[in-house]
């Protein structure tokens, strides 16, 4: 089954495709389906942004559609960067610039107070318009330096709970098992399996 992921971000698309691998679902992105579609993330929560992405793309295409929004919440920074994770510092800032800014803001924060989490919210819309929301959270802490070469975004400064390495050091295979995005999209996959089995049973 073809599913539209309402994003132009190829890093996110690649992660979702790897999570969906082996489940008979072909994940397409806006780049392949409607490259001209731009969606402004102006919601006040991850759920609002995810729903807007999904609803906007669904209205255009009528496909099974996924909208996703995610970010890093740091306790010592009162939840920042939060929903501004992709636009932290400034709109066109690089990952390195955002990571350096975070580390500078936390330079005096001791180890025990460097707690943080990645949060991901996914909105799924079916062809009939039925809508479901799923959430995944990965607890962890902020490293003191940028570490690792894998992944994207804040991966080089985030150490997931139970590990001593950052996501960027652990690599994609581990991240795709334990990350916020993996947890949210696994819930999507579980729902799809149940939902499609139910629909098939009625035909």
């Amino acid at each position: 089954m073809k599913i539209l992921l309402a994003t132009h971000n190829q890093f996110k698309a690649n992660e979702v495709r790897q999570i969906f691998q082996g489940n008979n679902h072909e994940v397409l992105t806006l780049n392949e389906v409607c490259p001209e579609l731009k969606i402004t993330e102006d919601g006040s929560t991850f759920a609002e942004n995810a729903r807007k992405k999904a609803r906007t793309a669904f209205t255009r295409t009528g496909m099974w559609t996924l909208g996703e929004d995610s970010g890093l919440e740091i306790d010592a920074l009162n939840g920042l960067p939060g929903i501004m994770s992709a636009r932290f510092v400034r709109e066109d800032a690089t990952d390195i610039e955002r990571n350096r800014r975070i580390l500078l803001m936390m330079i005096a924060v001791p180890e025990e107070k460097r707690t943080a989490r990645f949060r991901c919210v996914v909105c799924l819309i079916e062809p009939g318009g039925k809508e479901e929301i799923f959430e995944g959270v990965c607890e962890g802490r902020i490293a003191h330096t940028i570490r690792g070469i894998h992944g994207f975004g804040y991966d080089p400064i985030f150490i997931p709970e139970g590990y001593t390495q950052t996501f960027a050091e652990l690599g994609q295979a581990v991240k795709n098992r334990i990350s916020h995005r993996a947890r949210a999209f696994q819930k999507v996959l579980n729902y799809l399996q149940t939902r499609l089995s139910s629909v098939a049973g009625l035909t």
Side-chain angles (χ1 to χ4, degrees):
M1 183 178 74
K2 292 184 177 181
I3 303 178
L4 174 61
L5 177 63
T7 186
H8 291 285
N9 187 320
Q10 285 303 120
F11 293 109
K12 284 188 178 183
N14 289 340
E15 280 195 3
V16 174
R17 283 170 176 151
Q18 289 171 27
I19 295 165
F20 272 49
Q21 194 169 17
N23 286 277
N24 298 317
H25 300 306
E26 181 183 0
V27 178
L28 304 174
T29 69
L30 295 177
N31 296 326
E32 289 114 26
V33 178
C34 39
E36 77 289 348
L37 183 60
K38 307 296 181 185
I39 306 172
T40 302
E41 299 178 29
D42 54 4
S44 59
T45 65
F46 292 122
E48 287 180 8
N49 283 334
R51 186 179 186 278
K52 181 178 181 180
K53 292 176 187 179
R55 186 57 63 181
T56 302
F58 171 77
T59 300
R60 177 72 67 91
T61 67
M63 298 174 63
W64 284 86
T65 304
L66 294 164
E68 183 266 7
D69 196 32
S70 55
L72 178 65
E73 300 171 339
I74 302 173
D75 294 324
L77 301 182
N78 297 315
L80 288 175
I83 61 169
M84 296 300 295
S85 291
R87 301 175 296 283
F88 195 58
V89 181
R90 63 177 190 279
E91 191 75 31
D92 62 344
T94 65
D95 289 346
I96 288 291
E97 288 174 319
R98 285 189 283 266
N99 285 322
R100 285 175 174 168
R101 178 59 176 163
I102 291 290
L103 294 182
L104 183 62
M105 293 173 71
M106 296 187 65
I107 196 166
V109 178
E111 188 67 33
E112 67 274 12
K113 294 185 178 180
R114 300 180 75 85
T115 52
R117 70 205 49 80
F118 268 124
R119 188 180 304 277
C120 172
V121 177
V122 180
C123 176
L124 169 68
I125 302 181
E126 302 180 17
K130 179 178 169 62
E131 183 180 304
E132 296 288 339
I133 295 289
F134 307 88
E135 183 176 78
V137 176
C138 181
E139 297 287 343
R141 65 188 190 279
I142 301 301
H144 291 271
T145 59
I146 294 173
R147 293 160 40 188
I149 60 173
H150 304 289
F152 67 100
Y154 298 101
D155 287 354
I157 64 170
F158 182 80
I159 303 171
E161 194 170 69
Y163 293 81
T164 59
Q165 296 170 294
T166 67
F167 269 152
E169 291 175 303
L170 290 168
Q172 206 63 45
V174 174
K175 184 182 178 185
N176 286 344
R177 292 199 310 270
I178 67 171
S179 77
H180 54 308
R181 193 167 291 115
R183 290 170 177 171
F185 278 98
Q186 187 57 57
K187 291 178 182 178
V188 173
L189 282 170
N190 293 343
Y191 174 83
L192 286 173
Q193 183 177 9
T194 302
R195 179 67 174 152
L196 294 175
S197 295
S198 174
V199 171
L202 295 175
T203 59

